[in-house]
Amino acid sequence: MLETADAGPRTALDRTTERRHIGTSQVPDDVTSMEFSLPGARLETTNVSESDGTNGVVRVTRISNGPGITDYVTHEKDFAYSAYGIHVGQDDRLTFFGEGQRITVHLIDCREDSPQLGDEITIEMAVSPYRVLIIPKGIAHTLDGLGGVVTRDEPVWYADQNPDWEPDNDLVSFLRSSQQAPVVRTNRHKLPVAAHLLLSRMSQQTNAQDQGAYAARYRVSIGGSTTYATLRPAWRAAETGNAVHAWASRNNFVLTGPESFTVVPSTDSCTSDVLEVDLDGSRAEDGPDAGEGSAVGRFVRHEYSRRRLTWLAGSTDAQIEVVTADGERSVIRLGDPTIGVRVPPGTWYRLTGTGRVWLRSEMELLDLEPWALDHPPGRDVTTADPSEADASRPEQDSDRYLPGPALHALARMEAKAISLTR
């Protein structure tokens, strides 16, 4: 599909710059904070804890300091970018998750007011949950080596009156083979947290209704005038199978490749953690080979919170076993980032399978009276051996959950506290 938009003053869209590669940075594996030669491009340390009390979880990557919105991009094994992208109204804050892959990041300064306009650098590093790569608005970027990698973006959004800005898609694309890069004007006005939440919820609604392909905007010449054309691939997501569990449902997503997905939040807090889970080979069946008494073989429940778990990357031999309020056990297969599994409060569950997986963990917190300090996120976990995991607590219509903005504020306060004490 081809769409055109009024791009404003034509002279603002005709500018390009020659690309000049000025150096390559090798990031040591143990480095989590680093400045690069393009102003504003840098690495910062993320907020990571070794566990949240859930059996099998070896690492939890929480949100970093900032607006706290968490979007995810998954990449199929042979994923490759053919173009650069420039955000004119968004700082990207990227954390990469995977099984030791090494990635290469290419950056070009395209900001019209930058003293380093046209400068290009290369960054080589391993994926790591311990660092976030910050790419300021106006810097073109593309990446290599993303096959099997998950990228979490915690964007910072800006608004302005700007001929390069399209609120529905602020990404300006151009081919990697081009010797010239577009010069862009970037937005100046950082949006408040409330606006970030509003935009994220709008994205949820849009992607719930139209789960098509993400569009790219290119500058084109039409009738002698420079304008923007929006190109949308014809990718479509596969239909959900017929044997989906009652607690499993479709996530909000858009396709960024034939089998790659941008997965946006499902809850109104618009934030989530990433769980890195080391499965021990146990299966859903009990018995000598079920891992009974081991980390993954034990069941867990969250007394005061409802969780929604989404498989992002890693072993596709992963599943979740749940115990209903009637004491019945059932298994839900993971391995599809377009499907999320809801786990009600007080529900016994365990993760089983082989290998290592990365899961998005979204939470809704029960609004209890009186509200106590031992109620916050991550402090409501109990565990049990399979023989002790009897019927789960039934979900009740009277269950009330803390409003999303309040939980969002708690998560941001927790992120700030962790960053001050690490």
Side-chain angles (χ1 to χ4, degrees), residues 115-134:
Q116 293 185 234
L117 180 65
D119 285 357
E120 178 178 355
I121 65 172
T122 302
I123 303 168
E124 297 178 351
M125 63 182 183
V127 300
S128 169
Y130 292 99
R131 54 194 177 209
V132 54
L133 173 64
I134 298 173

Side-chain angles (χ1 to χ4, degrees), residues 97-99 101 148 150 311-318 335 354-358:
F97 303 89
E99 302 189 66
Q101 296 96 323
V150 170
W311 180 93
L312 297 171
S315 172
T316 56
D317 182 36
T354 58
R356 186 162 295 225
V357 296
W358 285 262

Side-chain angles (χ1 to χ4, degrees), residues 36-95:
F36 300 111
S37 55
L38 298 185
R42 63 194 185 276
L43 292 172
E44 290 184 356
T45 305
T46 53
N47 294 323
V48 180
S49 58
E50 295 308 308
S51 177
D52 69 344
T54 304
N55 289 316
V57 174
V58 296
R59 192 169 290 113
V60 182
T61 306
R62 307 188 187 279
I63 63 171
S64 58
N65 294 335
I69 306 300
T70 50
D71 297 334
Y72 298 85
V73 184
T74 68
H75 304 94
E76 67 254 37
K77 185 177 180 180
D78 57 352
F79 183 89
Y81 279 117
S82 61
Y84 278 89
I86 315 168
H87 288 295
V88 297
Q90 174 178 315
D91 291 341
D92 275 334
R93 300 173 57 87
L94 309 177
T95 304

Side-chain angles (χ1 to χ4, degrees), residues 15-341:
R15 293 183 60 196
T16 61
T17 182
E18 289 283 346
R19 298 168 53 176
R20 299 179 301 277
H21 194 274
I22 61 172
T24 298
S25 296
Q26 300 277 351
V27 180
D29 290 352
D30 59 347
V31 168
T32 60
S33 180
M34 187 173 181
E35 298 282 340
F36 300 111
S37 55
L38 298 185
R42 63 194 185 276
L43 292 172
E44 290 184 356
T45 305
T46 53
N47 294 323
V48 180
S49 58
E50 295 308 308
S51 177
D52 69 344
T54 304
N55 289 316
V57 174
V58 296
R59 192 169 290 113
V60 182
T61 306
R62 307 188 187 279
I63 63 171
S64 58
N65 294 335
I69 306 300
T70 50
D71 297 334
Y72 298 85
V73 184
T74 68
H75 304 94
E76 67 254 37
K77 185 177 180 180
D78 57 352
F79 183 89
Y81 279 117
S82 61
Y84 278 89
I86 315 168
H87 288 295
V88 297
Q90 174 178 315
D91 291 341
D92 275 334
R93 300 173 57 87
L94 309 177
T95 304
F96 302 98
F97 303 89
E99 302 189 66
Q101 296 96 323
R102 300 199 68 83
I103 61 174
T104 303
V105 185
H106 307 277
L107 304 179
I108 307 171
D109 197 334
C110 296
R111 298 169 288 194
E112 66 175 7
D113 57 351
S114 173
Q116 293 185 234
L117 180 65
D119 285 357
E120 178 178 355
I121 65 172
T122 302
I123 303 168
E124 297 178 351
M125 63 182 183
V127 300
S128 169
Y130 292 99
R131 54 194 177 209
V132 54
L133 173 64
I134 298 173
I135 305 175
K137 52 189 167 64
I139 292 185
H141 50 281
T142 194
L143 299 95
D144 295 320
L146 288 178
V149 172
V150 170
T151 304
R152 181 174 74 177
D153 195 2
E154 301 173 88
V156 180
W157 289 319
Y158 301 78
D160 210 340
Q161 185 175 1
N162 182 352
D164 287 309
W165 186 45
E166 170 57 54
D168 289 336
N169 181 358
D170 84 325
L171 192 69
V172 178
S173 298
F174 63 98
L175 294 178
R176 294 180 65 159
S177 58
S178 175
Q179 297 302 308
Q180 300 277 333
V183 176
V184 298
R185 182 182 307 170
T186 59
N187 290 355
R188 298 169 295 173
H189 308 298
K190 183 178 177 180
L191 296 178
V193 171
H196 279 77
L197 285 169
L198 174 61
L199 288 173
S200 184
R201 291 182 191 131
M202 291 171 63
S203 178
Q204 290 181 44
Q205 294 179 358
T206 299
N207 292 327
Q209 296 169 1
D210 181 16
Q211 295 168 330
Y214 191 82
R217 285 195 307 144
Y218 291 86
R219 286 182 181 176
V220 298
S221 179
I222 299 178
S225 299
T226 302
T227 187
Y228 280 111
T230 301
L231 303 176
R232 193 182 303 276
W235 305 318
R236 299 300 303 179
E239 294 297 325
T240 305
N242 296 325
V244 174
H245 193 277
W247 289 353
S249 60
R250 202 75 150 168
N251 282 323
N252 305 316
F253 67 90
V254 61
L255 282 91
T256 45
E259 296 181 11
S260 298
F261 308 91
T262 295
V263 185
V264 304
S266 298
T267 64
D268 61 355
S269 72
C270 301
T271 188
S272 59
D273 297 330
V274 176
L275 308 181
E276 185 176 341
V277 184
D278 193 6
L279 302 173
D280 70 348
S282 65
R283 299 291 181 175
E285 300 85 0
D286 291 336
D289 299 324
E292 214 168 325
S294 66
V296 180
R298 291 176 65 83
F299 279 81
V300 65
R301 69 181 177 190
H302 303 282
E303 303 289 351
Y304 309 129
S305 58
R306 178 166 62 192
R307 306 295 172 106
R308 183 179 176 90
L309 300 176
T310 297
W311 180 93
L312 297 171
S315 172
T316 56
D317 182 36
Q319 53 196 15
I320 179 171
E321 182 183 8
V322 296
V323 183
T324 68
D326 297 326
E328 298 293 328
R329 297 188 181 186
S330 58
V331 172
I332 310 169
R333 296 199 66 82
L334 301 175
D336 183 351
T338 71
I339 300 297
V341 179

